[in-house]
Amino acid sequence: MSSTHLSPDPSSAAGSAPTKTTFRAHTDIAFIKYWGKKDEVLRLPENGSISMKLADLYTTTTVEFDPQLKQDVVKINGLVESGEELRVIQHLQRVRDLATQVSLPLATASARVVSNNNFPTGSGLSSSGSGFAALTLAATRAIGLRLSQKELSILARQGSGSACRAVCGGYVEWHDADTSEGSFSETLFPADHWTLSDVVVVVSQDRKTVGTSTAAHRTAGSSPFFITRLQRINQKILAVKTAIAEKNFGQLGQLIEAEALEFHSIMLTSQPAQIALLPGTIQVMHQVLQLRSKGIPCYFTLNTGHNIHVLTLPTHADLVADSLQQLPLVEWVVFTKTVGDPVQVSDHLL
Ligand code: DP6
C-alpha cells in the first residue's frame, strides 16, 4: 500500500489509551458480479464489478484496542466462536502492521471486536462485504490511523473482496487491476443521483448450500464458460455504467438480470457444481417474470445464496413487495433502497 496518506490521525486521541470506535457499513448488491480471483491472497478479482449500496441491511462493528488485553477477542452476532474470528484477527493484524509503519502507540495492542448484522448471515446477502468494511473503518480509526478512501478500499478488500466496494456509497465501481494498488473501488454516482428500490426476498434464513463465497470463488475457472464471461465482461460493465448514468431502468434491469443468470450458469457448470438456488428462489424468479408481463418494471439478481433481490422503481415497490410476500415459499421481504457512505455511530456495542 502506498504511504501517501498513511499517517496518524491528528483528530484521534492517538495515545496508548483504548479508544472505542463504531462504524455501520451497508451491504451492497452487485449489478456486475465479482467472481473468481487472479490472486487469492491479495483478493484480486478476475474482473471489475459494479454495485449499489443498500440502506436497510448493514453491519455495525465496535473496535477497541487495549494494551492491557492479552489477545484479540472477537464476538460476531453474539458468538465468540463464530467461525469467522480467525479471518477477523488476520485483518486486525493488517491494521496493526500499518499502524506500526507510522509508530502509533496502539500498534502492538490486542483488540476487542463486537460485530452484529441486522440480517441473516451467510445466506447470500453479502455479510462479509459489510462486515469487513465496518471492521476496516472502525479498526483503523480506533488505532489512530488516517487513511484515504482509496487506501481504506484496498485494505478492506484484503479482508473480503466485496468489502472493497462496501467502504464506498451510492453506485460503486471496483476497478479491475493486476496490482493491489490498482484494485480499489470508487463511488460512480452518489445515492441521490437515482433512488432505486430493492425488495430483498428471504426464502430461507439457513446458511447457503454452496458454503463460503471464498471457497466457491475457487471453482469459477473450472466452468467451460468462464473464459467467455471474461471476454464479454468489460462491455457489460460499460453498458451498466451507461444505464445508471442515463437512469434507464429497463436497460439496467435487463443487464443485471442477465448477469445474475450468467453468474449462476458459471456456478452450475463448475466442478464441483455450485447449486445455490432453492425452490423459493425459482418461485420468485417466475413471479418477477409474471409481474413484468403485466407491465411492472422489476428485475431480479442474486449472489451465491438462495435469497434474492428484486430491483424496481420506488413507485412500484409496494406492489412488487406485496406480490412477492404472498408467495408460499417466501419467508419475508425487506424493503430497501440506494444509500450513501458508511457512517460512524456513537452507540458502541461494547
Ligand atoms: C457473488 O466478497 O464474499 O457476492 O473475497 O472470498 O470474501 P471473498 O468473497 P466475497 O464474494 C462475493 C461474490 C458475490 C458477487 C459480488 O458481490 O460481487
Side-chain angles (χ1 to χ4, degrees), residues 106-168:
L106 289 170
T108 53
S110 293
R112 291 184 192 88
V113 177
V114 179
S115 183
N116 291 334
N117 296 326
N118 77 336
F119 59 95
T121 301
S123 65
L125 297 177
S126 292
S127 53
S128 66
S130 55
F132 279 91
L135 177 67
T136 301
L137 293 163
T140 52
R141 187 66 62 90
I143 211 166
L145 278 167
R146 182 176 57 181
L147 301 184
S148 68
Q149 174 83 6
K150 176 178 168 183
E151 287 167 329
L152 286 166
S153 180
I154 290 170
L155 177 59
R157 189 200 75 226
Q158 294 167 62
S160 172
S162 45
C164 173
R165 296 185 311 241
V167 295
C168 304

Side-chain angles (χ1 to χ4, degrees), residues 59-339:
T59 303
T60 308
T61 301
T62 301
V63 179
E64 177 181 49
F65 286 92
D66 183 350
Q68 308 299 321
L69 205 61
K70 295 267 180 303
Q71 58 184 32
D72 295 321
V73 181
V74 178
K75 199 171 179 185
I76 301 175
N77 295 324
L79 298 174
V80 180
E81 288 184 12
S82 62
E84 284 292 317
E85 59 278 7
L86 192 61
R87 202 166 155 190
V88 169
I89 291 167
Q90 283 168 349
H91 203 58
L92 290 170
Q93 196 49 46
R94 292 184 187 104
V95 174
R96 281 187 284 254
D97 291 347
L98 290 176
T100 303
Q101 287 180 33
V102 288
S103 310
L104 286 173
L106 289 170
T108 53
S110 293
R112 291 184 192 88
V113 177
V114 179
S115 183
N116 291 334
N117 296 326
N118 77 336
F119 59 95
T121 301
S123 65
L125 297 177
S126 292
S127 53
S128 66
S130 55
F132 279 91
L135 177 67
T136 301
L137 293 163
T140 52
R141 187 66 62 90
I143 211 166
L145 278 167
R146 182 176 57 181
L147 301 184
S148 68
Q149 174 83 6
K150 176 178 168 183
E151 287 167 329
L152 286 166
S153 180
I154 290 170
L155 177 59
R157 189 200 75 226
Q158 294 167 62
S160 172
S162 45
C164 173
R165 296 185 311 241
V167 295
C168 304
Y171 295 87
V172 182
E173 178 171 20
W174 178 2
H175 302 290
D176 178 31
D178 293 331
T179 62
S180 186
E181 269 293 291
S183 185
F184 64 97
S185 301
E186 286 179 299
T187 293
L188 271 177
F189 298 98
D192 62 7
H193 164 72
W194 191 25
T195 302
L196 290 180
S197 294
D198 181 7
V199 180
V200 183
V201 188
V202 176
V203 298
S204 169
Q205 290 189 69
D206 292 348
R207 286 198 165 253
K208 50 197 179 192
T209 51
V210 301
T212 64
S213 297
T214 304
H217 272 285
R218 291 186 197 119
T219 66
S222 64
S223 164
F225 308 115
F226 190 58
I227 288 175
T228 310
R229 168 173 170 75
L230 294 183
Q231 283 165 351
R232 297 168 65 245
I233 201 85
N234 287 338
Q235 78 197 46
K236 287 174 62 166
I237 289 174
L238 195 59
V240 164
K241 282 162 72 168
T242 305
I244 300 171
E246 294 174 353
K247 303 181 193 176
N248 184 338
F249 185 65
Q251 189 63 28
L252 179 68
Q254 281 176 30
L255 287 162
I256 65 175
E257 196 171 282
E259 161 68 356
L261 291 168
E262 178 179 303
F263 158 57
H264 274 267
S265 307
I266 300 289
M267 293 225 299
L268 290 167
T269 51
S270 292
Q271 295 294 328
Q274 308 292 311
I275 308 173
L277 311 175
L278 291 181
T281 323
I282 306 280
Q283 192 175 57
V284 171
M285 290 175 171
H286 282 290
Q287 186 68 4
V288 167
L289 299 186
Q290 275 286 323
L291 286 166
R292 265 212 316 273
S293 72
K294 293 178 189 150
I296 311 295
C298 58
Y299 298 86
F300 63 78
T301 181
L302 70 169
N303 291 335
T304 46
H306 40 266
N307 295 323
I308 174 163
H309 296 250
V310 180
L311 275 293
T312 187
L313 294 169
T315 41
H316 295 88
D318 282 336
L319 189 151
V320 169
D322 285 351
S323 143
L324 297 172
Q325 179 72 78
Q326 282 165 28
L327 294 173
L329 297 177
V330 167
E331 289 192 4
W332 81 82
V333 301
V334 182
F335 195 54
T336 189
K337 62 178 184 189
T338 327
V339 78

Side-chain angles (χ1 to χ4, degrees), residues 19-85:
T19 34
K20 251 178 238 181
T21 309
T22 303
F23 267 84
R24 175 171 296 166
H26 302 88
T27 63
D28 64 355
I29 178 63
F31 291 168
I32 296 287
K33 311 293 180 185
Y34 145 49
W35 199 237
K37 295 172 193 169
K38 286 176 198 161
D39 184 319
E40 172 131 15
V41 176
L42 287 173
R43 285 192 152 79
L44 299 182
E46 289 281 6
N47 58 273
S49 56
I50 309 270
S51 74
M52 180 181 91
K53 295 298 293 295
L54 301 175
D56 302 273
L57 280 77
Y58 51 79
T59 303
T60 308
T61 301
T62 301
V63 179
E64 177 181 49
F65 286 92
D66 183 350
Q68 308 299 321
L69 205 61
K70 295 267 180 303
Q71 58 184 32
D72 295 321
V73 181
V74 178
K75 199 171 179 185
I76 301 175
N77 295 324
L79 298 174
V80 180
E81 288 184 12
S82 62
E84 284 292 317
E85 59 278 7

